Amino acid sequence: MGIKTVKFGGSSLANAEQIAKAAAIIRSDPDRRYVVASAPGKRSAADVKVTDLLYQLYGRRDGDYAYTLASIRQRFTRIASDLDVEIDLDPHFATIEKHLLTIADPDYIASRGEYLNCVLLAAYLGWPLIDSADVIRFADSGEFLVDETDVLLGTALHKVERAVIPGFYGATAQGQIKTFPRGGSDVTGALVARAAMAEVYENWTDVSGILIADPRVVDDPLPIREISYTALRELTYLGASVLHENAIIPVRSRGIPINIRNTDCPEDPGTWIHTEASTDSHGPAIVGVAAKIGYTAITVRKAQWSGSLGVGPSLFRLFQDLGVVVDLAVTGVDSWTVVIRSEMITHLMEVFMDKIRTLRPDAVEVRDGLALVGVIASGTLPRTTVTVRLAQALDDARIDVFADTYVGDLRIFTIDTDRHDDAIRAIYAALVD
């Protein structure tokens, strides 16, 4: 098929048993040539991720940090022993401790989980290790440098047939470690796939693909078999998890498909993410449903606003001047309603009210405690049919919709926060079950 870049998450590499499973998957396909790995995740519900232990270590740098450091050392020593990998970890932990007591850079400390896990994985596979600090470039300000990274990564990858690359971090030209936000190993995997000009980016995790709905809300939801980059970005923005939303951008620009797979069930096909997903005429009427809480709606009313060219630009310029992002905007005959993250507008409400009066509105209404629920139609049914069934599902569940709109195949509803789980269950039952 061609080069495959594979990324394994923390749950897939939580202990030696999981690492051995991942290695078996890698070795089963010679096209899997570049491997990106996360730090060890939880081994059980009561366990602590290695990255969280490292943040705890940094927080205790001025006090009793020895126990935390010993716990992290023991975790990696146990993995090495169980894998029967002969490697001396003492120099690595001596460097970490020295760094902790001198430079004390939180990004460096947090990144050591990925680095050490990849040291062990590379030794177990017998593959070379490419340190992300050498090939993932950040500016001194912390800004990620995409073009420079693409060149550095591409050059390094094409010098080796196979390699293991730590996720989550990179470095400045001077060698200072910088990390991506949490979940950033997904981004590293996408960058490696892009630089390697891979045929596919496989993202291995603990679920068999992306689910149509949150399994904490809907019992045993079906997986999504195919989804477009655009639809996935929309679902991720609205709260669906599995893949870091910024991981889509590097591969999308090169048309590289993403395949979300389950390390514990490698036979499952998972979810495929393409530029354009094909329509399954026998599949569910929706691709996915997700919700995001913490919104405020502001409705501005004035008679005879309908058809006025300057109203919309003036209103949005006002929010732009305040540095506030509008997530949803709905227009009525003589009204505009905008939906905004509450954390962005609450502390600016007094300033906003002063500014909005310059437009001389008849009324301004503010409503807090809202959630956005997004539904993406699959194309198996006409949009009008989906619209009717959505409306009926919410009406049957006695859920009031404050505002809603269509953007392509995405339908967004604004409802009370305390009903968003009920809305997801009602929609799933009406359009999937």
Side-chain angles (χ1 to χ4, degrees):
M1 179 178 181
I3 296 172
K4 293 180 180 179
T5 291
V6 297
K7 178 263 175 180
F8 287 90
S11 59
S12 298
L13 304 171
N15 54 31
E17 180 183 0
Q18 289 298 106
I19 291 175
K21 286 181 186 178
I25 290 169
I26 295 164
R27 289 169 174 153
S28 69
D29 187 344
D31 290 336
R32 293 181 176 126
R33 290 171 45 187
Y34 301 117
V35 179
V36 174
S38 297
K42 290 185 177 183
R43 295 162 293 187
S44 66
D47 199 13
V48 181
K49 297 178 182 180
V50 164
T51 301
D52 289 332
L53 287 174
L54 287 163
Y55 280 120
Q56 291 177 21
L57 176 67
Y58 176 78
R60 294 167 180 163
R61 65 193 181 280
D62 295 326
D64 186 8
Y65 66 85
Y67 178 79
T68 305
L69 183 61
S71 298
I72 298 167
R73 182 198 297 265
Q74 183 182 37
R75 183 87 177 261
F76 283 106
T77 300
R78 175 67 181 273
I79 291 173
S81 175
D82 289 348
L83 289 175
D84 198 22
V85 170
E86 294 185 6
I87 190 166
D88 185 5
L89 292 174
D90 287 345
H92 295 288
F93 280 95
T95 301
I96 291 172
E97 185 171 18
K98 180 180 179 181
H99 200 290
L100 183 70
L101 297 176
T102 55
I103 303 173
D105 178 2
D107 282 8
Y108 172 84
I109 299 299
S111 72
R112 294 306 86 185
E114 277 74 15
Y115 175 76
L116 290 172
N117 220 22
C118 284
V119 167
L120 295 178
L121 179 59
Y124 186 66
L125 290 170
W127 289 15
L129 172 72
I130 296 176
D131 191 349
S132 295
D134 298 326
V135 292
I136 306 289
R137 187 62 71 236
F138 286 84
D140 292 339
S141 63
E143 178 188 1
F144 172 61
L145 302 177
V146 61
D147 292 334
E148 189 171 343
T149 293
D150 203 35
V151 172
L152 289 171
L153 255 178
T155 301
L157 295 176
H158 289 104
K159 288 180 179 178
V160 293
E161 185 176 355
R162 303 180 185 280
V164 176
I165 306 100
F168 185 45
Y169 72 91
T172 66
Q174 288 72 39
Q176 182 181 2
I177 297 296
K178 299 286 185 181
T179 58
F180 291 108
R182 279 297 187 98
S185 290
D186 288 337
V187 179
T188 306
L191 293 170
V192 171
R194 171 189 166 97
M197 294 183 283
E199 292 290 328
V200 63
Y201 169 30
E202 292 182 347
N203 191 294
W204 293 81
T205 181
D206 56 1
V207 294
S208 295
I210 303 169
L211 303 176
I212 292 177
D214 189 335
R216 295 169 297 184
V217 178
V218 174
D219 291 334
D220 197 23
L222 293 175
I224 301 169
R225 290 306 176 200
E226 284 193 54
I227 189 171
S228 69
Y229 290 122
T230 300
L232 180 61
R233 284 274 291 173
E234 289 166 342
L235 278 181
T236 303
Y237 182 77
L238 287 167
S241 61
V242 170
L243 189 66
H244 194 289
E245 63 182 64
N246 290 332
I248 301 168
I249 298 171
V251 289
R252 180 179 184 174
S253 64
R254 295 264 169 94
I256 300 170
I258 304 171
N259 189 198
I260 309 294
R261 303 284 292 276
N262 190 340
T263 306
D264 294 321
C265 301
E267 69 281 358
D268 289 351
T271 298
W272 280 93
I273 306 162
H274 299 280
T275 302
E276 294 293 337
S278 60
T279 300
D280 180 3
S281 59
H282 301 289
I286 62 173
V287 173
V289 53
K292 196 172 184 178
I293 64 174
Y295 283 92
T296 295
I298 300 173
T299 300
V300 183
R301 303 181 187 278
K302 186 170 182 175
Q304 298 183 351
W305 259 6
S306 177
S308 299
L309 295 176
V311 175
S314 297
L315 191 58
F316 281 98
R317 193 178 303 114
L318 188 158
F319 288 114
Q320 182 179 358
D321 291 344
L322 292 173
V324 173
V325 177
V326 174
D327 283 63
L328 178 67
V330 180
T331 62
V333 175
D334 289 319
S335 68
W336 285 74
T337 296
V338 292
V339 182
I340 301 164
R341 292 286 294 172
S342 300
E343 62 188 18
M344 297 190 74
I345 191 64
T346 300
H347 65 292
L348 295 171
M349 191 60 72
E350 187 175 338
V351 177
F352 167 77
M353 295 301 287
D354 286 341
K355 290 182 176 293
I356 197 66
R357 291 188 185 100
T358 63
L359 297 179
R360 300 182 181 277
D362 294 333
V364 179
E365 301 163 9
V366 179
R367 182 167 175 174
D368 295 314
L370 297 175
L372 289 184
V373 177
V375 183
I376 297 178
S378 64
T380 61
L381 293 176
R383 180 185 290 184
T384 52
T385 303
V386 174
T387 299
V388 170
R389 290 176 63 177
L390 282 171
Q392 188 64 54
L394 295 175
D395 187 57
D396 290 345
R398 299 184 181 279
I399 296 172
D400 292 329
V401 177
F402 179 72
D404 68 289
T405 189
Y406 249 123
V407 182
D409 291 325
L410 174 67
R411 184 71 180 267
I412 302 178
F413 298 92
T414 307
I415 64 173
D416 287 329
T417 292
D418 60 2
R419 300 302 310 277
H420 76 280
D421 284 352
D422 295 332
I424 290 174
R425 283 189 284 266
I427 291 167
Y428 188 92
L431 291 153
V432 179
D433 281 350

